[in-house]
Amino acid sequence: MNPLDAFRLDGRVAFVSGGGGAIGSALAVALGSAGAKVVVSDISQASAEAAAERVKAAGAESLALAGDITVESEADRIVASIIERFGRLDILVNAVGGGAGKVLFDAQDYPRDAWDWIMEINLRSTLIASQATARAMVKAGQGGRVINISSVRAQLGINAGYSAYVAAKGAVSSLTRQWATEWAKHGITVNAIAPTFVDTPQVAMLLGDPAFKSSLISRVPLGRVGETRDLVGAVIFFASEASSFVTGQILTIDGGLTATQ
Ligand SMILES: NC(=O)c1ccc[n+]([C@@H]2O[C@H](COP(=O)([O-])OP(=O)(O)OC[C@H]3O[C@@H](n4cnc5c(N)ncnc54)[C@H](O)[C@@H]3O)[C@@H](O)[C@H]2O)c1
């Protein structure tokens, strides 16, 4: 057998939550290119549809579903629609999140509304999508894959008003280990990627500041910021049979940044 066959996703159905976003849409296209049927879900219908078109252009079946994934009934509706359309659900990628750069406050003054918003989009989105998906996977009894997007900020502080984001991503990393432990008996693996800054609209303002960017790059041994394509290999690995004995892991994708700390 060709060892690369273990990375193929033919016949699998993937649900990319936040699939209309910069990272989610890149991962949706990659999952489709690896053989999966891909459901792109996003609060923005237009973004979901645009990403689904990109998946189709890559040669895979795709369906766009709009909804607010922080609302339990919406998540249940999305999961039910996936099963109705494709008959199964094998892979969840949790790619809703971000926002940190929009609400930078000193730790001692971090306001509750900003805190709640960051928790909502980074933590509750992951919680609700994963619960709805896991209920369906447990019921189907065919196992599955859950892939979270944490951040190096789960591990490293940053002197830039990021209190809520580091707390939310710390919780996403902890839940990755917790769910891996609880859902292993159902054949569901749970892993996460933890990128450093990825060149996307979310961080365009920070990366647009030449002083910030050069100080960031000077701390990254591989000497650049991340690109969405840097995340693809890890996600295909976690989504596929190739990682069948891997669960509860958080793979840092940071050009060596955390290795220096
Ligand atoms: N961009 C980076 O540098 C970077 C670095 C590390 C980790 N991350 C993480 O990667 C993930 C994706 O980030 P991104 O840069 O692609 O952000 P993005 O803003 O481009 O994508 C997020 C998507 O989620 C959607 N969304 C927001 N709230 C939603 C809701 N309630 N229900 C459904 N969809 C909703 C948005 O419409 C958007 O399409 C986030 O968890 C982010 O924290 C990003």
Side-chain angles (χ1 to χ4, degrees):
M1 177 187 152
N2 183 335
L4 289 180
D5 290 349
F7 291 85
R8 292 287 317 173
L9 301 174
D10 305 285
R12 305 284 163 80
V13 176
F15 164 21
V16 183
S17 175
I23 290 175
S25 59
L27 297 177
V29 170
L31 291 162
S33 302
K37 294 166 184 151
V38 183
V39 176
V40 177
S41 154
D42 204 282
I43 201 163
S44 154
Q45 177 144 10
S47 306
E49 281 170 5
E53 286 309 313
R54 285 180 57 200
V55 176
K56 286 181 197 160
E61 268 187 73
S62 189
L63 172 68
L65 291 173
D68 181 346
I69 203 66
T70 62
V71 177
E72 205 168 4
S73 57
E74 296 271 285
D76 285 337
R77 174 183 57 78
I78 289 166
V79 167
S81 305
I82 295 171
I83 300 209
E84 189 184 308
R85 167 71 183 267
F86 293 116
R88 56 189 296 145
L89 173 52
D90 304 285
I91 299 156
L92 166 67
V93 177
N94 279 308
V96 172
K102 291 190 184 146
V103 281
L104 301 172
F105 297 101
D106 289 342
Q108 65 276 21
D109 296 322
Y110 206 96
R112 185 168 179 172
D113 54 348
W115 178 275
D116 290 347
W117 179 63
I118 289 290
M119 286 293 166
E120 196 76 3
I121 64 166
N122 287 281
L123 182 54
R124 183 164 299 281
S125 64
T126 299
L127 172 69
I128 301 299
S130 300
Q131 287 182 314
T133 299
R135 282 195 292 269
M137 287 175 172
V138 169
K139 191 172 167 205
Q142 295 174 314
R145 299 277 191 267
V146 175
I147 301 157
N148 294 328
I149 306 189
S150 184
S151 163
V152 294
R153 296 298 145 226
Q155 222 181 317
L156 302 178
I158 177 169
N159 189 9
Y162 264 59
S163 290
Y165 188 73
V166 301
K169 292 302 189 184
V172 167
S173 290
S174 294
L175 282 174
T176 301
R177 290 183 283 264
Q178 179 63 22
W179 293 338
T181 308
E182 287 196 37
W183 294 340
K185 59 180 170 292
H186 301 294
I188 302 168
T189 69
V190 187
N191 293 288
I193 56 168
T196 181
F197 287 95
V198 182
D199 194 1
T200 55
Q202 278 274 352
V203 294
M205 236 166 66
L206 276 173
L207 294 181
D209 172 355
F212 180 88
K213 189 169 180 184
S214 65
S215 119
L216 175 69
I217 286 176
S218 71
R219 289 181 288 121
V220 176
L222 289 175
R224 63 175 176 84
V225 295
E227 302 286 343
T228 55
R229 65 170 183 273
D230 294 315
L231 313 181
V232 163
V235 169
I236 298 291
F237 173 64
F238 286 142
S240 69
E241 275 309 298
S243 66
S244 57
F245 199 49
V246 178
T247 195
Q249 300 306 304
I250 293 143
L251 182 62
T252 306
I253 302 179
D254 67 351
L257 171 67
T258 49
T260 68
Q261 305 298 304

